[in-house]
Amino acid sequence: DAMVFAGVPLIFGAAVLGRPLLVLVAGEPFALAGDVLVPLMVATAVIFVAALFGYAVVALGQQRQLILLYLTNAVVTLGAYVWTIPRYGLWAAATLTIASELVTMLGAAWVVWRQTTFFPRPGAAVKSLVAGLIMALVVWPLADVPVLVRMAIGGAVYVGLGIALGIVPAEALAGFKRFTSARIVNRES
């Protein structure tokens, strides 16, 4: 749940802030590259979940089951990069990256499921997607506001919705409050 919650705002944030963010970081000539941030953030969100399944595979001692899948995925993806990037450019690379990461995630998820019958609850993912969409709808009309301010507003909206929708558990909030309180006390000492 936490990895999905962390990945979703990257996708929706890139959709509404990709161009202005790249203009801020790299200048106007890179504005169009901001559009490619969306599929790259999809790949990043998939990597978040894939990493969690990958760690579970290692914890279960089943990593040998994935060697052939990982090797095949790497060879096929590399070949597809070589063939498609010269023809279709950056979009081919982004799309193939998503596909490759999905294969990795699904392979690891399959091994975990076969060993444990565990699979993430879809409810938190759906709630995260709803919160991400609302965040984007709040940030989208703020085109005249500086991009870093829009990022802060979007983050506050998303986290607030995460709390309101129950995606962020009460224990996590209590732990965060204890952590921040302890840091404030330490600074005063």
Side-chain angles (χ1 to χ4, degrees), residues 1-11 40-58 66 70 98 100-112 118-122 124-126 128-129 158:
D1 293 351
M3 294 307 223
V4 171
F5 185 70
V8 165
L10 298 176
I11 299 165
L40 292 177
M41 290 303 105
V42 169
T44 301
V46 172
I47 290 168
F48 285 179
V49 177
L52 188 61
F53 279 119
Y55 295 141
V57 167
V58 171
L66 290 175
Y70 287 169
I98 293 170
S100 174
E101 295 305 334
L102 278 170
V103 167
T104 299
M105 181 191 74
L106 293 172
W110 173 252
V111 170
V112 170
F118 168 79
F119 203 76
R121 301 172 296 145
V126 171
S128 294
L129 289 169
Y158 186 74

mmCIF file of all heavy atoms in Angstrom, residues 1-11 40-58 66 70 98 100-112 118-122 124-126 128-129 158:
data_model
loop_
_atom_site.group_PDB
_atom_site.id
_atom_site.type_symbol
_atom_site.label_atom_id
_atom_site.label_comp_id
_atom_site.label_asym_id
_atom_site.label_seq_id
_atom_site.Cartn_x
_atom_site.Cartn_y
_atom_site.Cartn_z
ATOM 1 N N ASP A 1 0.827 -1.199 0.000
ATOM 2 C CA ASP A 1 0.000 0.000 0.000
ATOM 3 C C ASP A 1 0.870 1.260 0.000
ATOM 4 O O ASP A 1 0.590 2.214 -0.724
ATOM 5 C CB ASP A 1 -0.913 0.016 1.225
ATOM 6 C CG ASP A 1 -1.966 -1.101 1.182
ATOM 7 O OD1 ASP A 1 -2.090 -1.776 0.145
ATOM 8 O OD2 ASP A 1 -2.663 -1.284 2.195
ATOM 9 N N ALA A 2 1.923 1.244 0.815
ATOM 10 C CA ALA A 2 2.776 2.427 0.932
ATOM 11 C C ALA A 2 3.506 2.728 -0.374
ATOM 12 O O ALA A 2 3.643 3.899 -0.760
ATOM 13 C CB ALA A 2 3.788 2.245 2.065
ATOM 14 N N MET A 3 3.953 1.692 -1.065
ATOM 15 C CA MET A 3 4.681 1.917 -2.316
ATOM 16 C C MET A 3 3.763 2.470 -3.400
ATOM 17 O O MET A 3 4.156 3.332 -4.177
ATOM 18 C CB MET A 3 5.343 0.619 -2.789
ATOM 19 C CG MET A 3 6.422 0.153 -1.845
ATOM 20 S SD MET A 3 7.609 1.473 -1.521
ATOM 21 C CE MET A 3 9.101 0.592 -1.612
ATOM 22 N N VAL A 4 2.538 1.969 -3.456
ATOM 23 C CA VAL A 4 1.573 2.504 -4.421
ATOM 24 C C VAL A 4 1.254 3.946 -4.060
ATOM 25 O O VAL A 4 1.221 4.827 -4.917
ATOM 26 C CB VAL A 4 0.290 1.639 -4.460
ATOM 27 C CG1 VAL A 4 -0.791 2.304 -5.299
ATOM 28 C CG2 VAL A 4 0.608 0.258 -4.999
ATOM 29 N N PHE A 5 1.031 4.206 -2.771
ATOM 30 C CA PHE A 5 0.730 5.566 -2.318
ATOM 31 C C PHE A 5 1.877 6.521 -2.645
ATOM 32 O O PHE A 5 1.653 7.671 -2.995
ATOM 33 C CB PHE A 5 0.440 5.569 -0.809
ATOM 34 C CG PHE A 5 0.012 6.905 -0.281
ATOM 35 C CD1 PHE A 5 -1.229 7.433 -0.608
ATOM 36 C CD2 PHE A 5 0.841 7.642 0.550
ATOM 37 C CE1 PHE A 5 -1.635 8.668 -0.122
ATOM 38 C CE2 PHE A 5 0.448 8.874 1.038
ATOM 39 C CZ PHE A 5 -0.800 9.391 0.707
ATOM 40 N N ALA A 6 3.106 6.035 -2.584
ATOM 41 C CA ALA A 6 4.265 6.876 -2.916
ATOM 42 C C ALA A 6 4.411 7.077 -4.417
ATOM 43 O O ALA A 6 4.862 8.137 -4.871
ATOM 44 C CB ALA A 6 5.541 6.249 -2.353
ATOM 45 N N GLY A 7 4.017 6.097 -5.212
ATOM 46 C CA GLY A 7 4.215 6.186 -6.654
ATOM 47 C C GLY A 7 3.154 6.957 -7.407
ATOM 48 O O GLY A 7 3.452 7.632 -8.406
ATOM 49 N N VAL A 8 1.915 6.890 -6.943
ATOM 50 C CA VAL A 8 0.803 7.528 -7.678
ATOM 51 C C VAL A 8 0.982 9.032 -7.868
ATOM 52 O O VAL A 8 0.768 9.540 -8.972
ATOM 53 C CB VAL A 8 -0.545 7.183 -7.011
ATOM 54 C CG1 VAL A 8 -1.667 8.089 -7.503
ATOM 55 C CG2 VAL A 8 -0.899 5.724 -7.276
ATOM 56 N N PRO A 9 1.391 9.793 -6.843
ATOM 57 C CA PRO A 9 1.504 11.235 -7.081
ATOM 58 C C PRO A 9 2.598 11.603 -8.078
ATOM 59 O O PRO A 9 2.544 12.670 -8.685
ATOM 60 C CB PRO A 9 1.794 11.817 -5.693
ATOM 61 C CG PRO A 9 2.385 10.696 -4.923
ATOM 62 C CD PRO A 9 1.712 9.456 -5.453
ATOM 63 N N LEU A 10 3.576 10.727 -8.257
ATOM 64 C CA LEU A 10 4.600 10.994 -9.265
ATOM 65 C C LEU A 10 3.987 11.021 -10.656
ATOM 66 O O LEU A 10 4.330 11.863 -11.491
ATOM 67 C CB LEU A 10 5.703 9.932 -9.199
ATOM 68 C CG LEU A 10 6.493 9.838 -7.896
ATOM 69 C CD1 LEU A 10 7.482 8.684 -7.964
ATOM 70 C CD2 LEU A 10 7.199 11.139 -7.592
ATOM 71 N N ILE A 11 3.070 10.094 -10.903
ATOM 72 C CA ILE A 11 2.431 10.008 -12.219
ATOM 73 C C ILE A 11 1.545 11.228 -12.464
ATOM 74 O O ILE A 11 1.680 11.925 -13.469
ATOM 75 C CB ILE A 11 1.605 8.712 -12.327
ATOM 76 C CG1 ILE A 11 2.510 7.490 -12.167
ATOM 77 C CG2 ILE A 11 0.842 8.670 -13.654
ATOM 78 C CD1 ILE A 11 1.763 6.199 -11.899
ATOM 79 N N LEU A 40 7.679 7.840 -17.723
ATOM 80 C CA LEU A 40 8.812 7.504 -16.851
ATOM 81 C C LEU A 40 8.386 7.411 -15.385
ATOM 82 O O LEU A 40 8.893 6.580 -14.633
ATOM 83 C CB LEU A 40 9.941 8.513 -17.041
ATOM 84 C CG LEU A 40 10.621 8.465 -18.409
ATOM 85 C CD1 LEU A 40 11.683 9.558 -18.525
ATOM 86 C CD2 LEU A 40 11.231 7.094 -18.681
ATOM 87 N N MET A 41 7.435 8.234 -14.982
ATOM 88 C CA MET A 41 6.925 8.148 -13.611
ATOM 89 C C MET A 41 6.039 6.916 -13.435
ATOM 90 O O MET A 41 5.995 6.335 -12.351
ATOM 91 C CB MET A 41 6.164 9.419 -13.234
ATOM 92 C CG MET A 41 7.059 10.645 -13.063
ATOM 93 S SD MET A 41 8.360 10.430 -11.824
ATOM 94 C CE MET A 41 9.799 10.206 -12.844
ATOM 95 N N VAL A 42 5.349 6.509 -14.490
ATOM 96 C CA VAL A 42 4.615 5.235 -14.422
ATOM 97 C C VAL A 42 5.615 4.112 -14.175
ATOM 98 O O VAL A 42 5.411 3.258 -13.306
ATOM 99 C CB VAL A 42 3.801 4.986 -15.720
ATOM 100 C CG1 VAL A 42 3.264 3.558 -15.745
ATOM 101 C CG2 VAL A 42 2.658 5.990 -15.840
ATOM 102 N N ALA A 43 6.715 4.118 -14.929
ATOM 103 C CA ALA A 43 7.750 3.100 -14.731
ATOM 104 C C ALA A 43 8.314 3.163 -13.317
ATOM 105 O O ALA A 43 8.536 2.121 -12.680
ATOM 106 C CB ALA A 43 8.868 3.277 -15.765
ATOM 107 N N THR A 44 8.521 4.364 -12.807
ATOM 108 C CA THR A 44 9.049 4.520 -11.449
ATOM 109 C C THR A 44 8.085 3.951 -10.420
ATOM 110 O O THR A 44 8.496 3.256 -9.485
ATOM 111 C CB THR A 44 9.342 6.003 -11.161
ATOM 112 O OG1 THR A 44 10.290 6.477 -12.120
ATOM 113 C CG2 THR A 44 9.885 6.199 -9.757
ATOM 114 N N ALA A 45 6.796 4.236 -10.588
ATOM 115 C CA ALA A 45 5.796 3.695 -9.655
ATOM 116 C C ALA A 45 5.782 2.168 -9.716
ATOM 117 O O ALA A 45 5.678 1.497 -8.678
ATOM 118 C CB ALA A 45 4.419 4.269 -9.978
ATOM 119 N N VAL A 46 5.912 1.613 -10.901
ATOM 120 C CA VAL A 46 5.965 0.156 -11.044
ATOM 121 C C VAL A 46 7.222 -0.385 -10.358
ATOM 122 O O VAL A 46 7.180 -1.418 -9.680
ATOM 123 C CB VAL A 46 5.910 -0.258 -12.531
ATOM 124 C CG1 VAL A 46 6.173 -1.752 -12.701
ATOM 125 C CG2 VAL A 46 4.558 0.107 -13.140
ATOM 126 N N ILE A 47 8.332 0.322 -10.498
ATOM 127 C CA ILE A 47 9.580 -0.094 -9.839
ATOM 128 C C ILE A 47 9.407 -0.123 -8.324
ATOM 129 O O ILE A 47 9.916 -1.031 -7.651
ATOM 130 C CB ILE A 47 10.751 0.821 -10.241
ATOM 131 C CG1 ILE A 47 11.136 0.576 -11.700
ATOM 132 C CG2 ILE A 47 11.956 0.618 -9.330
ATOM 133 C CD1 ILE A 47 12.077 1.623 -12.275
ATOM 134 N N PHE A 48 8.693 0.853 -7.756
ATOM 135 C CA PHE A 48 8.449 0.859 -6.306
ATOM 136 C C PHE A 48 7.809 -0.457 -5.871
ATOM 137 O O PHE A 48 8.248 -1.087 -4.907
ATOM 138 C CB PHE A 48 7.518 2.010 -5.914
ATOM 139 C CG PHE A 48 8.141 3.375 -5.921
ATOM 140 C CD1 PHE A 48 7.368 4.482 -5.609
ATOM 141 C CD2 PHE A 48 9.470 3.584 -6.236
ATOM 142 C CE1 PHE A 48 7.904 5.754 -5.603
ATOM 143 C CE2 PHE A 48 10.021 4.856 -6.240
ATOM 144 C CZ PHE A 48 9.231 5.936 -5.917
ATOM 145 N N VAL A 49 6.769 -0.861 -6.576
ATOM 146 C CA VAL A 49 6.054 -2.091 -6.216
ATOM 147 C C VAL A 49 6.913 -3.310 -6.531
ATOM 148 O O VAL A 49 6.971 -4.261 -5.744
ATOM 149 C CB VAL A 49 4.690 -2.144 -6.930
ATOM 150 C CG1 VAL A 49 3.961 -3.440 -6.622
ATOM 151 C CG2 VAL A 49 3.833 -0.937 -6.533
ATOM 152 N N ALA A 50 7.587 -3.293 -7.680
ATOM 153 C CA ALA A 50 8.444 -4.420 -8.065
ATOM 154 C C ALA A 50 9.551 -4.647 -7.037
ATOM 155 O O ALA A 50 9.893 -5.796 -6.733
ATOM 156 C CB ALA A 50 9.047 -4.180 -9.448
ATOM 157 N N ALA A 51 10.108 -3.564 -6.518
ATOM 158 C CA ALA A 51 11.171 -3.700 -5.515
ATOM 159 C C ALA A 51 10.662 -4.408 -4.271
ATOM 160 O O ALA A 51 11.344 -5.279 -3.709
ATOM 161 C CB ALA A 51 11.734 -2.328 -5.151
ATOM 162 N N LEU A 52 9.469 -4.047 -3.860
ATOM 163 C CA LEU A 52 8.886 -4.692 -2.681
ATOM 164 C C LEU A 52 8.705 -6.190 -2.917
ATOM 165 O O LEU A 52 9.073 -7.008 -2.073
ATOM 166 C CB LEU A 52 7.549 -4.034 -2.341
ATOM 167 C CG LEU A 52 6.899 -4.462 -1.047
ATOM 168 C CD1 LEU A 52 7.798 -4.126 0.132
ATOM 169 C CD2 LEU A 52 5.560 -3.774 -0.898
ATOM 170 N N PHE A 53 8.155 -6.559 -4.081
ATOM 171 C CA PHE A 53 8.015 -7.976 -4.408
ATOM 172 C C PHE A 53 9.385 -8.632 -4.536
ATOM 173 O O PHE A 53 9.560 -9.785 -4.125
ATOM 174 C CB PHE A 53 7.212 -8.157 -5.694
ATOM 175 C CG PHE A 53 5.732 -8.070 -5.496
ATOM 176 C CD1 PHE A 53 5.003 -7.080 -6.135
ATOM 177 C CD2 PHE A 53 5.057 -8.962 -4.690
ATOM 178 C CE1 PHE A 53 3.633 -6.983 -5.967
ATOM 179 C CE2 PHE A 53 3.684 -8.888 -4.511
ATOM 180 C CZ PHE A 53 2.969 -7.895 -5.154
ATOM 181 N N GLY A 54 10.351 -7.936 -5.099
ATOM 182 C CA GLY A 54 11.697 -8.487 -5.225
ATOM 183 C C GLY A 54 12.320 -8.788 -3.873
ATOM 184 O O GLY A 54 12.944 -9.846 -3.686
ATOM 185 N N TYR A 55 12.141 -7.875 -2.910
ATOM 186 C CA TYR A 55 12.657 -8.124 -1.558
ATOM 187 C C TYR A 55 11.958 -9.318 -0.926
ATOM 188 O O TYR A 55 12.580 -10.120 -0.227
ATOM 189 C CB TYR A 55 12.479 -6.896 -0.671
ATOM 190 C CG TYR A 55 13.288 -5.700 -1.108
ATOM 191 C CD1 TYR A 55 12.755 -4.420 -1.036
ATOM 192 C CD2 TYR A 55 14.587 -5.832 -1.590
ATOM 193 C CE1 TYR A 55 13.486 -3.312 -1.440
ATOM 194 C CE2 TYR A 55 15.321 -4.738 -1.996
ATOM 195 C CZ TYR A 55 14.766 -3.480 -1.911
ATOM 196 O OH TYR A 55 15.493 -2.394 -2.305
ATOM 197 N N ALA A 56 10.659 -9.442 -1.191
ATOM 198 C CA ALA A 56 9.913 -10.584 -0.649
ATOM 199 C C ALA A 56 10.427 -11.893 -1.249
ATOM 200 O O ALA A 56 10.549 -12.902 -0.541
ATOM 201 C CB ALA A 56 8.416 -10.410 -0.923
ATOM 202 N N VAL A 57 10.734 -11.878 -2.538
ATOM 203 C CA VAL A 57 11.281 -13.074 -3.188
ATOM 204 C C VAL A 57 12.593 -13.476 -2.529
ATOM 205 O O VAL A 57 12.827 -14.656 -2.232
ATOM 206 C CB VAL A 57 11.470 -12.834 -4.708
ATOM 207 C CG1 VAL A 57 12.310 -13.934 -5.333
ATOM 208 C CG2 VAL A 57 10.125 -12.727 -5.405
ATOM 209 N N VAL A 58 13.452 -12.506 -2.266
ATOM 210 C CA VAL A 58 14.731 -12.798 -1.603
ATOM 211 C C VAL A 58 14.483 -13.314 -0.187
ATOM 212 O O VAL A 58 15.100 -14.298 0.248
ATOM 213 C CB VAL A 58 15.639 -11.546 -1.589
ATOM 214 C CG1 VAL A 58 16.871 -11.774 -0.727
ATOM 215 C CG2 VAL A 58 16.045 -11.176 -3.020
ATOM 216 N N LEU A 66 13.658 -16.413 -10.524
ATOM 217 C CA LEU A 66 13.504 -15.226 -11.357
ATOM 218 C C LEU A 66 14.690 -14.963 -12.288
ATOM 219 O O LEU A 66 14.612 -14.079 -13.124
ATOM 220 C CB LEU A 66 13.268 -13.997 -10.475
ATOM 221 C CG LEU A 66 11.910 -13.965 -9.775
ATOM 222 C CD1 LEU A 66 11.829 -12.769 -8.847
ATOM 223 C CD2 LEU A 66 10.784 -13.931 -10.793
ATOM 224 N N TYR A 70 14.449 -12.524 -15.499
ATOM 225 C CA TYR A 70 15.193 -11.267 -15.534
ATOM 226 C C TYR A 70 16.143 -11.215 -16.729
ATOM 227 O O TYR A 70 16.252 -10.185 -17.404
ATOM 228 C CB TYR A 70 15.978 -11.062 -14.238
ATOM 229 C CG TYR A 70 15.148 -10.702 -13.029
ATOM 230 C CD1 TYR A 70 15.712 -10.705 -11.769
ATOM 231 C CD2 TYR A 70 13.807 -10.368 -13.132
ATOM 232 C CE1 TYR A 70 14.976 -10.373 -10.642
ATOM 233 C CE2 TYR A 70 13.065 -10.043 -12.016
ATOM 234 C CZ TYR A 70 13.653 -10.047 -10.771
ATOM 235 O OH TYR A 70 12.921 -9.706 -9.672
ATOM 236 N N ILE A 98 8.461 0.941 -19.268
ATOM 237 C CA ILE A 98 7.264 0.536 -18.518
ATOM 238 C C ILE A 98 7.022 -0.960 -18.687
ATOM 239 O O ILE A 98 6.796 -1.687 -17.709
ATOM 240 C CB ILE A 98 6.022 1.326 -18.973
ATOM 241 C CG1 ILE A 98 6.152 2.796 -18.609
ATOM 242 C CG2 ILE A 98 4.748 0.735 -18.357
ATOM 243 C CD1 ILE A 98 5.080 3.676 -19.234
ATOM 244 N N SER A 100 9.074 -3.376 -19.525
ATOM 245 C CA SER A 100 10.108 -4.168 -18.867
ATOM 246 C C SER A 100 9.900 -4.215 -17.357
ATOM 247 O O SER A 100 10.018 -5.280 -16.732
ATOM 248 C CB SER A 100 11.485 -3.580 -19.197
ATOM 249 O OG SER A 100 12.485 -4.242 -18.473
ATOM 250 N N GLU A 101 9.582 -3.076 -16.776
ATOM 251 C CA GLU A 101 9.369 -3.037 -15.324
ATOM 252 C C GLU A 101 8.104 -3.794 -14.925
ATOM 253 O O GLU A 101 8.057 -4.405 -13.859
ATOM 254 C CB GLU A 101 9.326 -1.591 -14.828
ATOM 255 C CG GLU A 101 10.644 -0.852 -14.987
ATOM 256 C CD GLU A 101 11.835 -1.540 -14.335
ATOM 257 O OE1 GLU A 101 11.660 -2.305 -13.369
ATOM 258 O OE2 GLU A 101 12.970 -1.307 -14.792
ATOM 259 N N LEU A 102 7.085 -3.759 -15.769
ATOM 260 C CA LEU A 102 5.873 -4.542 -15.491
ATOM 261 C C LEU A 102 6.176 -6.039 -15.509
ATOM 262 O O LEU A 102 5.678 -6.784 -14.656
ATOM 263 C CB LEU A 102 4.780 -4.217 -16.507
ATOM 264 C CG LEU A 102 3.962 -2.972 -16.229
ATOM 265 C CD1 LEU A 102 3.078 -2.637 -17.426
ATOM 266 C CD2 LEU A 102 3.125 -3.129 -14.970
ATOM 267 N N VAL A 103 6.993 -6.480 -16.461
ATOM 268 C CA VAL A 103 7.370 -7.896 -16.513
ATOM 269 C C VAL A 103 8.108 -8.281 -15.226
ATOM 270 O O VAL A 103 7.823 -9.325 -14.617
ATOM 271 C CB VAL A 103 8.232 -8.194 -17.763
ATOM 272 C CG1 VAL A 103 8.899 -9.562 -17.676
ATOM 273 C CG2 VAL A 103 7.380 -8.081 -19.014
ATOM 274 N N THR A 104 9.028 -7.436 -14.808
ATOM 275 C CA THR A 104 9.774 -7.690 -13.567
ATOM 276 C C THR A 104 8.831 -7.767 -12.372
ATOM 277 O O THR A 104 8.906 -8.697 -11.561
ATOM 278 C CB THR A 104 10.819 -6.578 -13.347
ATOM 279 O OG1 THR A 104 11.731 -6.584 -14.446
ATOM 280 C CG2 THR A 104 11.575 -6.768 -12.051
ATOM 281 N N MET A 105 7.938 -6.788 -12.259
ATOM 282 C CA MET A 105 7.013 -6.755 -11.131
ATOM 283 C C MET A 105 6.088 -7.965 -11.133
ATOM 284 O O MET A 105 5.909 -8.624 -10.107
ATOM 285 C CB MET A 105 6.177 -5.478 -11.154
ATOM 286 C CG MET A 105 5.203 -5.372 -9.987
ATOM 287 S SD MET A 105 4.013 -4.048 -10.175
ATOM 288 C CE MET A 105 2.937 -4.735 -11.420
ATOM 289 N N LEU A 106 5.497 -8.271 -12.285
ATOM 290 C CA LEU A 106 4.550 -9.380 -12.355
ATOM 291 C C LEU A 106 5.229 -10.719 -12.104
ATOM 292 O O LEU A 106 4.658 -11.604 -11.450
ATOM 293 C CB LEU A 106 3.823 -9.370 -13.700
ATOM 294 C CG LEU A 106 2.882 -8.181 -13.901
ATOM 295 C CD1 LEU A 106 2.354 -8.160 -15.329
ATOM 296 C CD2 LEU A 106 1.751 -8.183 -12.889
ATOM 297 N N GLY A 107 6.461 -10.864 -12.581
ATOM 298 C CA GLY A 107 7.202 -12.099 -12.314
ATOM 299 C C GLY A 107 7.471 -12.286 -10.829
ATOM 300 O O GLY A 107 7.239 -13.371 -10.276
ATOM 301 N N ALA A 108 7.927 -11.240 -10.185
ATOM 302 C CA ALA A 108 8.190 -11.319 -8.739
ATOM 303 C C ALA A 108 6.887 -11.512 -7.963
ATOM 304 O O ALA A 108 6.839 -12.297 -6.998
ATOM 305 C CB ALA A 108 8.927 -10.070 -8.274
ATOM 306 N N ALA A 109 5.829 -10.818 -8.370
ATOM 307 C CA ALA A 109 4.529 -10.968 -7.696
ATOM 308 C C ALA A 109 4.025 -12.402 -7.823
ATOM 309 O O ALA A 109 3.471 -12.965 -6.864
ATOM 310 C CB ALA A 109 3.514 -9.987 -8.285
ATOM 311 N N TRP A 110 4.236 -12.995 -8.997
ATOM 312 C CA TRP A 110 3.810 -14.377 -9.214
ATOM 313 C C TRP A 110 4.543 -15.325 -8.273
ATOM 314 O O TRP A 110 3.931 -16.208 -7.669
ATOM 315 C CB TRP A 110 4.051 -14.776 -10.670
ATOM 316 C CG TRP A 110 3.797 -16.222 -10.949
ATOM 317 C CD1 TRP A 110 4.728 -17.181 -11.196
ATOM 318 C CD2 TRP A 110 2.531 -16.882 -10.990
ATOM 319 N NE1 TRP A 110 4.123 -18.402 -11.408
ATOM 320 C CE2 TRP A 110 2.760 -18.245 -11.273
ATOM 321 C CE3 TRP A 110 1.225 -16.456 -10.806
ATOM 322 C CZ2 TRP A 110 1.748 -19.172 -11.380
ATOM 323 C CZ3 TRP A 110 0.207 -17.402 -10.918
ATOM 324 C CH2 TRP A 110 0.469 -18.722 -11.200
ATOM 325 N N VAL A 111 5.857 -15.151 -8.127
ATOM 326 C CA VAL A 111 6.635 -16.020 -7.232
ATOM 327 C C VAL A 111 6.159 -15.843 -5.788
ATOM 328 O O VAL A 111 5.955 -16.831 -5.066
ATOM 329 C CB VAL A 111 8.149 -15.734 -7.368
ATOM 330 C CG1 VAL A 111 8.948 -16.439 -6.270
ATOM 331 C CG2 VAL A 111 8.648 -16.145 -8.747
ATOM 332 N N VAL A 112 5.958 -14.604 -5.375
ATOM 333 C CA VAL A 112 5.482 -14.354 -4.000
ATOM 334 C C VAL A 112 4.113 -14.985 -3.801
ATOM 335 O O VAL A 112 3.856 -15.650 -2.792
ATOM 336 C CB VAL A 112 5.451 -12.839 -3.686
ATOM 337 C CG1 VAL A 112 4.743 -12.569 -2.366
ATOM 338 C CG2 VAL A 112 6.873 -12.286 -3.655
ATOM 339 N N PHE A 118 -0.072 -14.360 -1.028
ATOM 340 C CA PHE A 118 -0.244 -12.924 -0.742
ATOM 341 C C PHE A 118 -0.360 -12.143 -2.039
ATOM 342 O O PHE A 118 0.383 -12.369 -2.990
ATOM 343 C CB PHE A 118 0.946 -12.375 0.051
ATOM 344 C CG PHE A 118 0.948 -10.864 0.120
ATOM 345 C CD1 PHE A 118 0.127 -10.198 1.010
ATOM 346 C CD2 PHE A 118 1.740 -10.115 -0.743
ATOM 347 C CE1 PHE A 118 0.111 -8.812 1.050
ATOM 348 C CE2 PHE A 118 1.723 -8.723 -0.706
ATOM 349 C CZ PHE A 118 0.906 -8.078 0.191
ATOM 350 N N PHE A 119 -1.284 -11.216 -2.048
ATOM 351 C CA PHE A 119 -1.374 -10.238 -3.125
ATOM 352 C C PHE A 119 -1.923 -8.960 -2.514
ATOM 353 O O PHE A 119 -2.806 -9.014 -1.658
ATOM 354 C CB PHE A 119 -2.267 -10.735 -4.268
ATOM 355 C CG PHE A 119 -1.960 -10.048 -5.563
ATOM 356 C CD1 PHE A 119 -0.833 -10.385 -6.296
ATOM 357 C CD2 PHE A 119 -2.774 -9.042 -6.026
ATOM 358 C CE1 PHE A 119 -0.529 -9.747 -7.476
ATOM 359 C CE2 PHE A 119 -2.488 -8.392 -7.216
ATOM 360 C CZ PHE A 119 -1.362 -8.745 -7.942
ATOM 361 N N PRO A 120 -1.398 -7.789 -2.923
ATOM 362 C CA PRO A 120 -1.833 -6.538 -2.302
ATOM 363 C C PRO A 120 -3.340 -6.303 -2.471
ATOM 364 O O PRO A 120 -3.942 -6.718 -3.452
ATOM 365 C CB PRO A 120 -1.056 -5.461 -3.057
ATOM 366 C CG PRO A 120 0.073 -6.172 -3.704
ATOM 367 C CD PRO A 120 -0.378 -7.575 -3.929
ATOM 368 N N ARG A 121 -3.895 -5.612 -1.495
ATOM 369 C CA ARG A 121 -5.313 -5.251 -1.552
ATOM 370 C C ARG A 121 -5.503 -4.157 -2.598
ATOM 371 O O ARG A 121 -4.783 -3.161 -2.585
ATOM 372 C CB ARG A 121 -5.786 -4.727 -0.198
ATOM 373 C CG ARG A 121 -5.614 -5.725 0.939
ATOM 374 C CD ARG A 121 -5.912 -5.092 2.281
ATOM 375 N NE ARG A 121 -4.938 -4.024 2.537
ATOM 376 C CZ ARG A 121 -5.214 -2.896 3.180
ATOM 377 N NH1 ARG A 121 -6.405 -2.664 3.637
ATOM 378 N NH2 ARG A 121 -4.283 -1.991 3.361
ATOM 379 N N PRO A 122 -6.458 -4.303 -3.483
ATOM 380 C CA PRO A 122 -6.663 -3.268 -4.504
ATOM 381 C C PRO A 122 -7.294 -1.992 -3.949
ATOM 382 O O PRO A 122 -7.202 -0.939 -4.563
ATOM 383 C CB PRO A 122 -7.581 -3.948 -5.525
ATOM 384 C CG PRO A 122 -8.259 -5.037 -4.777
ATOM 385 C CD PRO A 122 -7.318 -5.470 -3.700
ATOM 386 N N ALA A 124 -6.516 0.070 -1.488
ATOM 387 C CA ALA A 124 -5.584 1.178 -1.255
ATOM 388 C C ALA A 124 -5.085 1.755 -2.575
ATOM 389 O O ALA A 124 -4.899 2.972 -2.691
ATOM 390 C CB ALA A 124 -4.415 0.728 -0.393
ATOM 391 N N ALA A 125 -4.879 0.903 -3.582
ATOM 392 C CA ALA A 125 -4.435 1.395 -4.884
ATOM 393 C C ALA A 125 -5.512 2.259 -5.526
ATOM 394 O O ALA A 125 -5.213 3.328 -6.073
ATOM 395 C CB ALA A 125 -4.078 0.226 -5.796
ATOM 396 N N VAL A 126 -6.762 1.826 -5.437
ATOM 397 C CA VAL A 126 -7.868 2.614 -6.003
ATOM 398 C C VAL A 126 -7.983 3.949 -5.279
ATOM 399 O O VAL A 126 -8.123 5.004 -5.911
ATOM 400 C CB VAL A 126 -9.193 1.822 -5.943
ATOM 401 C CG1 VAL A 126 -10.377 2.699 -6.307
ATOM 402 C CG2 VAL A 126 -9.124 0.601 -6.849
ATOM 403 N N SER A 128 -5.611 5.520 -3.733
ATOM 404 C CA SER A 128 -4.449 6.326 -4.112
ATOM 405 C C SER A 128 -4.660 6.970 -5.476
ATOM 406 O O SER A 128 -4.310 8.138 -5.687
ATOM 407 C CB SER A 128 -3.177 5.465 -4.137
ATOM 408 O OG SER A 128 -2.857 5.012 -2.847
ATOM 409 N N LEU A 129 -5.227 6.210 -6.416
ATOM 410 C CA LEU A 129 -5.513 6.762 -7.746
ATOM 411 C C LEU A 129 -6.536 7.895 -7.674
ATOM 412 O O LEU A 129 -6.392 8.916 -8.339
ATOM 413 C CB LEU A 129 -5.986 5.656 -8.687
ATOM 414 C CG LEU A 129 -4.913 4.661 -9.105
ATOM 415 C CD1 LEU A 129 -5.541 3.459 -9.812
ATOM 416 C CD2 LEU A 129 -3.872 5.326 -9.991
ATOM 417 N N TYR A 158 -2.613 15.718 -1.628
ATOM 418 C CA TYR A 158 -2.499 14.259 -1.746
ATOM 419 C C TYR A 158 -2.355 13.598 -0.373
ATOM 420 O O TYR A 158 -3.046 12.617 -0.077
ATOM 421 C CB TYR A 158 -1.323 13.894 -2.651
ATOM 422 C CG TYR A 158 -1.232 12.423 -2.934
ATOM 423 C CD1 TYR A 158 -2.131 11.810 -3.804
ATOM 424 C CD2 TYR A 158 -0.258 11.637 -2.342
ATOM 425 C CE1 TYR A 158 -2.060 10.458 -4.069
ATOM 426 C CE2 TYR A 158 -0.175 10.278 -2.606
ATOM 427 C CZ TYR A 158 -1.077 9.696 -3.466
ATOM 428 O OH TYR A 158 -0.996 8.346 -3.712
#
